[in-house]
Amino acid sequence: MIKKQLIVLSLSLFIGMTTFAQKKELKAADKALKKKDYAGALSVISQAESLIANADAKSKARFYYIKGMALYGNGNNIENNDKAAEAFSTLLDLEKNGSGAKYSAMAGQILNDIIISINDQAYKDFQRANANSDVNDYKKSAEGYYKVYQLSPTDTSTLYSSAYLLYYAKDFETSISRFKKLQNLGFTGVSTIYNAKNIVN
């Protein structure tokens, strides 16, 4: 009986220490973020990564918000866009599933900006591939469009673009796999375009 009580007490102390460490790390990362010390915030948040698995939903949401913001920086860290987008997507999922909506509006806006940026880069890669018939540029463009699809799954046209461009990149196996995915999603390629007509003129 005493042994069980000691185990419970030890576990309680361990959980208490872990929670304290989480809050301390998050506070330090948040402080660095407010000073626009993105590298510092990222360094601190990386140390908290191992502690966050057992955190409550609100602490997890705060963690992913800080991580996303530190990776995104002032918007010029294009090479970190994918990781920032993943952090913001995780945050939005957490808040959608009941941890409040404290960070969703800001994260959603930045995530939208990142998606537009990735989409624009994919289009530039496509233009370059078209001009040079470069297999690698077709592949880069295809993966860019696929990343947009992953971040915004309702936009199946980007999954179609990815599958189509992989054919030109000669990655036939992945191309077929993505076309099959489109088929399973019921994609037909048909879209509705609305035109407005000025009745005065």
Side-chain angles (χ1 to χ4, degrees):
M1 185 72 176
I2 292 169
K3 198 174 183 181
K4 280 184 183 176
Q5 286 174 336
L6 283 171
I7 290 168
V8 169
L9 183 63
S10 297
L11 278 171
S12 298
L13 281 168
F14 175 73
I15 290 166
M17 285 167 61
T18 305
T19 304
F20 177 74
Q22 286 165 5
K23 287 182 179 174
K24 189 180 171 190
E25 300 286 356
L26 290 176
K27 195 174 179 181
D30 203 15
K31 203 172 178 182
L33 193 62
K34 283 174 181 165
K35 290 180 181 174
K36 298 188 179 181
D37 176 12
Y38 303 117
L42 201 53
S43 173
V44 176
I45 212 76
S46 298
Q47 292 167 23
E49 194 102 39
S50 59
L51 303 170
I52 213 68
N54 300 316
D56 60 83
K58 285 185 179 180
S59 295
K60 281 183 182 176
R62 186 178 178 202
F63 169 84
Y64 284 108
Y65 173 75
I66 295 169
K67 183 178 181 180
M69 291 301 287
L71 285 162
Y72 183 70
N74 53 10
N76 294 328
N77 301 331
I78 296 167
E79 66 279 1
N80 288 338
N81 271 355
D82 287 1
K83 289 178 183 175
E86 282 171 28
F88 287 133
S89 291
T90 305
L91 159 66
L92 291 172
D93 286 343
L94 280 165
E95 293 203 328
K96 201 189 318 177
N97 294 325
S99 69
K102 186 175 180 181
Y103 305 106
S104 289
M106 174 72 84
Q109 181 55 57
I110 294 173
L111 182 58
N112 193 49
D113 292 344
I114 291 172
I115 290 169
I116 290 167
S117 173
I118 295 170
N119 192 76
D120 289 348
Q121 185 57 52
Y123 182 65
K124 284 175 189 170
D125 291 333
F126 165 70
Q127 286 181 311
R128 195 165 49 250
N130 238 9
N132 306 321
S133 298
D134 189 315
V135 171
N136 292 325
D137 284 330
Y138 279 122
K139 178 91 172 173
K140 269 176 79 177
S141 180
E143 292 315 316
Y145 281 123
Y146 190 65
K147 177 57 75 175
V148 172
Y149 166 70
Q150 287 178 309
L151 295 170
S152 183
T154 53
D155 187 0
T156 47
S157 65
T158 53
L159 177 58
Y160 172 78
S161 296
S162 176
Y164 182 75
L165 291 167
L166 282 170
Y167 172 81
Y168 288 99
K170 302 192 186 312
D171 185 351
F172 303 118
E173 195 176 323
T174 313
S175 177
I176 289 167
S177 165
R178 288 182 187 172
F179 274 122
K180 281 181 179 174
K181 191 170 187 171
L182 279 163
Q183 198 173 23
N184 293 337
L185 290 167
F187 180 82
T188 60
V190 175
S191 61
T192 306
I193 297 170
Y194 295 95
N195 288 312
K197 195 172 186 179
N198 187 331
I199 56 168
V200 176
N201 299 326

